[in-house]
Amino acid sequence: MTSQYKASRFMALPERPTPAYRLSGMCLPAPLSVGELETFSAISRQISPLRKRQTLFAQGEALKSLYIVRCGSLKQVYRDITDEAHITQFYLPGEVVGLDAISTGFHPGTTQALETTSVCEILPEALEEFSRKEAAEKGGNGCFLRVMSRALHQERMMVRLLLNRTSDVRLASFLLALSTRFRQQGYSPFCFRLSMSRSDIGNYLGLAVETVSRLLGRFQDLGLLTAKGREIRVDDLDGLMALADGRARQSIWHAGIVPPSSCRLAGMPAH
Amino acid sequence: MTSQYKASRFMALPERPTPAYRLSGMCLPAPLSVGELETFSAISRQISPLRKRQTLFAQGEALKSLYIVRCGSLKQVYRDITDEAHITQFYLPGEVVGLDAISTGFHPGTTQALETTSVCEILPEALEEFSRKEAAEKGGNGCFLRVMSRALHQERMMVRLLLNRTSDVRLASFLLALSTRFRQQGYSPFCFRLSMSRSDIGNYLGLAVETVSRLLGRFQDLGLLTAKGREIRVDDLDGLMALADGRARQSIWHAGIVPPSSCRLAGMPAH
DNA sequence: CGCGCCGTTGAAAGTATTCAACAAGAGTGG
DNA sequence: CCACTCTTGTTGAATACTTTCAACGGCGCG
């Protein structure tokens, strides 16, 4: 492990690429950076908020616009020929929705609000105009391409995360990704509310609902977090990260139930 | 099955999007269409062939160019902090290599030839020039964006394929994808040679080597194919598809060993 | 208030991995 | 060209992990 590079936690830095990847926290797409968000905001317009369960677009619908999530969250569901539904992505604030429809011009999956959600619409005309200008100025490596490339990279990391990893690593990674996202949005990374059901999480991570439930219970026993319905409080972030990175000593089922370290609640609001 | 896109069996058609997805065969990226290939050939130049095991670029290297595979095959390996290697993609002829490096400007994984392989280089200057022209003509939905979007979509399908599916479905899908690719390249879809080891396949599909080996043996017992080392002969394409689509009657381990249907070798050269 | 969905828990079953041993092939050097 | 060695592939047995099935409590919504 060559050491010439310092590992940034979740993402290679442009100036100094991470030579090896940390999988934890790769469970969700990264939001746009502040600069990108500004860029896109300039060419987007807000549309009326979606209510819970309302769809932004349905599978098979023609691509009209791309969207950026402002607040709230959505899930994207691909339905296959056996009529099974697969949740392929959760979209949180700052994320671009609809990129996977560009190739065919039709949305490959239904996208649906998990709670009251507001999104901005990027009209195709505005995007074209923007691309034209951008291309003229900077050549092919536009902002938009970078966003797509990042999505591709992250989807690849997701595959690897889900593929060889055990259920506990997957769930820990997912929770960490959420925690990171909440921090980025200025919310507490320790206390948050899941907008998706256990069943959605299980579907997304390729686990049975029962497994998700059991794991949450087990995480709680281990003092990693406190879960009450959809409210999550992270009690031991380091422990959760160790688990997600595969650095955990052993299977969580064999681990004795350790009393939580005294410092774990430091600085946290009691919920 | 029109068409403009040959792989319509696995891909939504622009005129009539498939409302629901068939996962089988989604194990590999689709090659460029004939039109796209022409477009990119115009701005690319051939470089000297890579020998087996030679790398095109290493993880962490700066993105210099994109590449299109002409003949042969490569594997892309991401190495994570625990020093585990994950094969994220096999690149076959017609596929664009390096898209996932655009976001950071550095290659997230090492890409290495599995056999003697020749690739074309798309120089960044040429690509920029091309993008500029394309944007000026058609706006933002350029050829290049479509290629990226397709890659994203396929990576997503890959996740779903690998996530809930059993090992037999995964391997059958992978073999079918290969078969399809060989047909598209004008080779026999029934007889081909795997350029990757069992271990590579297992890594890519998230299975232990032993499992891959056992499954190939079992497929053979079931009369689906004949495997001799890395030479594969598909004996029952429909059966393999049924398996990949999850339409198979039951677990392959419980299925009795059926004598192969009489027509299964029709039109096939004895190898 | 009742119904349906969501979440939890236990027990049984299945599926894939790990470990171990061995066979076969490819590459290397004498 | 052959012997040697290391990698690749195969097979069996034991183990581990996750799912499935089943039952039940709770909550929200009509």
Side-chain angles (χ1 to χ4, degrees):
Chain A
M1 202 111 313
T2 53
S3 64
Q4 169 183 2
Y5 301 122
K6 167 190 128 199
S8 79
R9 193 153 257 285
F10 299 122
M11 174 64 82
L13 296 171
E15 314 81 40
R16 226 178 221 224
T18 310
Y21 285 91
R22 183 184 292 275
L23 287 172
S24 67
M26 274 301 192
C27 263
L28 290 172
L32 295 177
S33 70
V34 177
E36 289 163 342
L37 207 53
E38 273 174 18
T39 303
F40 284 117
S41 291
I43 59 168
S44 69
R45 61 162 211 212
Q46 191 131 10
I47 63 176
S48 69
L50 278 71
R51 276 190 304 258
K52 190 173 173 177
R53 241 162 286 201
Q54 204 175 335
T55 64
L56 188 55
F57 47 76
Q59 183 162 334
E61 236 174 62
L63 169 65
K64 288 201 314 276
S65 304
L66 298 174
Y67 303 90
I68 298 178
V69 182
R70 282 320 210 173
C71 63
S73 53
L74 305 118
K75 65 175 173 183
Q76 181 169 47
V77 184
Y78 284 26
R79 190 167 287 279
D80 70 18
I81 48 166
T82 62
D83 212 45
E84 264 177 295
H86 303 266
I87 297 177
T88 54
Q89 199 57 264
F90 293 116
Y91 294 106
L92 271 60
E95 175 66 13
V96 181
V97 182
L99 293 178
D100 52 359
I102 292 175
S103 68
T104 62
F106 295 92
H107 288 290
T110 300
T111 298
Q112 180 178 35
L114 290 169
E115 57 195 317
T116 303
T117 298
S118 90
V119 299
C120 283
E121 187 178 17
I122 306 177
L123 290 169
E125 307 88 54
L127 185 61
E128 282 181 21
E129 173 60 28
F130 167 71
S131 297
R132 214 184 328 263
K133 264 207 311 236
E134 195 183 49
E137 286 164 19
K138 288 176 287 182
N141 285 347
C143 182
F144 199 56
L145 268 186
R146 275 206 314 281
V147 172
M148 296 267 304
S149 173
R150 188 165 58 212
L152 175 61
H153 177 240
Q154 288 185 334
E155 210 67 31
R156 245 168 226 185
M157 297 305 282
M158 179 82 184
V159 178
R160 299 334 293 187
L161 172 67
L162 298 183
L163 221 45
N164 299 305
R165 311 285 156 188
T166 51
S167 56
D168 48 343
V169 176
R170 294 185 203 180
L171 186 61
S173 293
F174 178 72
L175 293 172
L176 276 177
L178 278 177
S179 169
T180 302
R181 286 299 290 275
F182 282 115
R183 181 167 48 211
Q184 287 169 348
Q185 299 296 320
Y187 297 105
S188 165
F190 300 108
C191 278
F192 49 87
R193 184 173 199 289
L194 302 174
S195 57
M196 64 291 286
S197 67
R198 302 277 194 276
S199 154
D200 284 344
I201 296 175
N203 185 309
Y204 183 61
L205 296 177
L207 303 171
V209 195
E210 294 94 326
T211 306
V212 174
S213 188
R214 271 186 260 270
L215 283 170
L216 280 174
R218 185 63 186 166
F219 285 0
Q220 214 159 338
D221 292 346
L222 291 171
L224 297 173
L225 52 78
T226 312
K228 202 172 162 116
R230 297 195 179 181
E231 299 292 337
I232 301 287
R233 192 182 65 198
V234 176
D235 294 331
D236 181 359
L237 192 62
D238 288 341
L240 214 52
M241 283 179 161
L243 196 58
D245 280 344
R247 286 188 282 114
R249 29 277 159 192
Q250 66 222 307
S251 162
I252 58 167
W253 302 107
H254 299 338
I257 295 165
V258 245
S261 61
S262 57
C263 64
R264 73 175 202 278
L265 286 173
M268 273 196 46
H271 187 71
Chain B
M1 202 125 308
T2 44
S3 84
Q4 166 177 9
Y5 290 149
K6 267 203 295 198
S8 53
R9 177 176 164 76
F10 301 123
M11 174 67 80
L13 296 172
E15 313 81 40
R16 207 188 235 211
T18 312
Y21 284 92
R22 182 184 294 274
L23 286 172
S24 67
M26 273 302 191
C27 263
L28 292 171
L32 295 177
S33 69
V34 176
E36 289 163 342
L37 207 53
E38 275 174 18
T39 303
F40 284 117
S41 290
I43 60 167
S44 68
R45 62 162 210 211
Q46 192 132 7
I47 63 175
S48 69
L50 279 70
R51 277 190 304 259
K52 190 173 175 178
R53 243 163 283 200
Q54 204 175 338
T55 63
L56 188 55
F57 46 77
Q59 182 161 335
E61 237 175 62
L63 170 65
K64 290 200 313 275
S65 304
L66 298 175
Y67 302 90
I68 299 178
V69 183
R70 283 320 210 174
C71 61
S73 52
L74 306 117
K75 65 176 173 182
Q76 181 169 47
V77 183
Y78 284 26
R79 189 167 288 279
D80 71 18
I81 48 165
T82 62
D83 213 47
E84 264 178 296
H86 303 266
I87 297 177
T88 54
Q89 198 58 263
F90 294 116
Y91 293 106
L92 272 60
E95 175 64 14
V96 181
V97 182
L99 294 177
D100 52 359
I102 292 174
S103 67
T104 63
F106 294 92
H107 288 291
T110 299
T111 298
Q112 177 178 38
L114 291 168
E115 57 195 316
T116 303
T117 298
S118 89
V119 300
C120 283
E121 187 177 17
I122 307 178
L123 289 168
E125 308 87 57
L127 185 62
E128 282 181 22
E129 173 60 28
F130 166 72
S131 296
R132 213 185 328 266
K133 264 206 314 236
E134 195 183 50
E137 286 164 18
K138 287 176 288 183
N141 284 349
C143 182
F144 199 57
L145 268 187
R146 275 207 314 280
V147 172
M148 295 268 300
S149 174
R150 188 165 58 211
L152 176 62
H153 177 239
Q154 287 184 333
E155 211 66 29
R156 245 169 225 183
M157 296 305 282
M158 179 82 183
V159 178
R160 299 333 295 187
L161 171 67
L162 298 182
L163 220 46
N164 300 304
R165 310 285 157 189
T166 50
S167 56
D168 48 344
V169 175
R170 294 185 202 179
L171 186 60
S173 293
F174 178 73
L175 294 172
L176 276 177
L178 278 177
S179 169
T180 302
R181 287 298 289 276
F182 282 114
R183 179 166 50 212
Q184 288 171 348
Q185 299 296 321
Y187 298 106
S188 165
F190 299 108
C191 278
F192 48 88
R193 184 174 198 291
L194 302 174
S195 57
M196 65 291 286
S197 69
R198 303 277 194 275
S199 154
D200 285 344
I201 296 175
N203 185 309
Y204 183 62
L205 296 177
L207 302 171
V209 195
E210 294 94 327
T211 306
V212 174
S213 189
R214 271 186 259 270
L215 283 171
L216 280 174
R218 185 62 186 167
F219 285 0
Q220 213 160 339
D221 291 346
L222 291 171
L224 296 173
L225 53 78
T226 311
K228 204 172 161 105
R230 298 194 178 181
E231 300 291 335
I232 300 287
R233 192 182 65 197
V234 176
D235 294 331
D236 180 0
L237 192 62
D238 289 340
L240 214 52
M241 284 178 160
L243 197 58
D245 281 344
R247 287 187 281 113
R249 29 276 160 193
Q250 67 222 307
S251 161
I252 58 166
W253 302 107
H254 298 339
I257 295 165
V258 246
S261 60
S262 58
C263 64
R264 75 177 200 277
L265 287 174
M268 273 196 45
H271 187 70

